[in-house]
Amino acid sequence: MTFSHSLLVAASGLCLLASCQGREQPFGTGSENAAADKDAGAATLPLAGIYADTMPCNDCQGIATRLTLRPDSLYELQEAYLGRTSPVNYRRGPWRVRGQVVTLEPSGNDPVRRYSVEADQSLRLLDATGKPMQAAGQDYTLNRTANSDLSAAGTRREFTGKFTYQSDAASLIECGSDKRYTVAPAGLTADLQRRYTTTRKKDGQAVFVRVLATVQGPQSGAEEALLVEKILEMKPDPICPQEQKQAFQK
């Protein structure tokens, strides 16, 4: 059985497992925490970061895996089968936390995937019964990388958040982390200003945006800045994905 096939088998059992464990909750919370029954949002921030390693593979040299858990509760997973000519597998979607378990929700036809959070914050792949994957001499752990600070200067990635522009100054408050960034003047393009003006409901009101940007160091001792390269999405209602889900569950 290949590693990919074993994941598909695991998925069916994990779906059943999820249905009887209740709602997800922030990492590290228990019954004594009044917020433990709520969806993980900003509480998942300590786990946000980059995890990588080479996972076992029965019919290839290994699966080079890179998992990014973003503060806005979205993940990006890249898998390259070493020794094959097949392209890199890429999937993305929401990630959630329940107890000590991180869940990557399905993306397209890909199965759900779950990892246990280890003491050193590494992530260990779980099987269909919710137990760590085990095989003689094989390690199914993704280790947190040294460059896991997704807000470090020079980081280039997608950002989702609440964007405002007023009096030649612009800012973005990131979904999930609530971290505030200024928008660098070089990134405050005419297109960004125009789209904000035509999208916002009234002057000074925030809108929801998804942008590709690079983090720059603090400007004159203030917040870090984002150099926006591309506008991927903009909507008039400044509602983050976590807020939408929580409102639906009430």
Side-chain angles (χ1 to χ4, degrees):
M1 180 186 297
T2 66
F3 178 71
S4 298
H5 184 241
S6 66
L7 285 177
L8 290 172
V9 173
S12 59
L14 286 172
C15 289
L16 294 175
L17 180 67
S19 65
C20 61
Q21 283 187 323
R23 293 169 62 179
E24 293 161 347
Q25 60 192 39
F27 166 67
T29 59
S31 58
E32 71 283 358
N33 188 326
D37 191 43
K38 297 180 180 179
D39 249 2
T44 66
L45 185 59
L47 284 176
I50 301 172
Y51 301 79
D53 215 320
T54 300
M55 303 291 274
C57 178
N58 290 339
D59 56 1
C60 70
Q61 298 171 13
I63 306 173
T65 305
R66 178 185 173 91
L67 172 63
T68 301
L69 300 180
R70 289 168 28 186
D72 60 3
S73 295
L74 295 176
Y75 74 84
E76 298 171 357
L77 178 65
Q78 300 176 51
E79 295 177 309
Y81 288 76
L82 304 179
R84 293 186 187 175
T85 57
S86 56
V88 175
N89 289 336
Y90 179 81
R91 58 183 278 187
R92 62 184 296 167
W95 67 281
R96 298 288 181 263
V97 181
R98 179 168 51 247
Q100 306 296 110
V101 176
V102 170
T103 299
L104 308 185
E105 296 187 6
S107 174
N109 294 325
D110 292 322
V112 66
R113 198 173 300 189
R114 288 188 169 87
Y115 299 86
S116 64
V117 181
E118 303 299 298
D120 59 355
Q121 281 198 315
S122 62
L123 302 179
R124 190 173 182 185
L125 185 65
L126 301 180
D127 64 17
T129 66
K131 296 179 179 179
M133 291 278 289
Q134 294 183 350
Q138 304 290 347
D139 185 5
Y140 291 88
T141 301
L142 295 177
N143 295 302
R144 189 178 177 91
T145 65
N147 61 337
S148 277
D149 184 358
L150 298 179
S151 299
T155 300
R156 180 177 181 268
R157 63 178 176 91
E158 283 188 15
F159 289 81
T160 60
K162 301 173 183 181
F163 172 80
T164 55
Y165 169 68
Q166 195 170 21
S167 300
D168 296 324
S171 63
L172 182 147
I173 298 177
E174 185 178 23
C175 290
S177 70
D178 290 332
K179 182 176 177 64
R180 181 186 178 91
Y181 297 90
T182 60
V183 176
L188 191 59
T189 62
D191 185 43
L192 184 58
Q193 297 179 47
R194 178 186 58 80
R195 289 187 59 174
Y196 171 76
T197 301
T198 58
T199 302
R200 55 121 173 92
K201 293 182 177 180
K202 60 182 180 181
D203 290 345
Q205 182 174 350
V207 298
F208 172 83
V209 296
R210 183 166 62 93
V211 298
L212 177 63
T214 300
V215 180
Q216 296 185 327
Q219 305 293 301
S220 301
E223 303 110 347
E224 288 92 344
L226 293 182
L227 180 62
V228 177
E229 302 176 30
K230 187 176 183 180
I231 305 169
L232 302 172
E233 186 178 4
M234 184 178 290
K235 297 187 293 187
D237 294 319
I239 302 175
C240 291
Q242 300 98 320
E243 296 169 348
Q244 288 180 322
K245 184 170 183 178
Q246 289 170 359
F248 176 77
Q249 291 176 336
K250 289 181 179 179

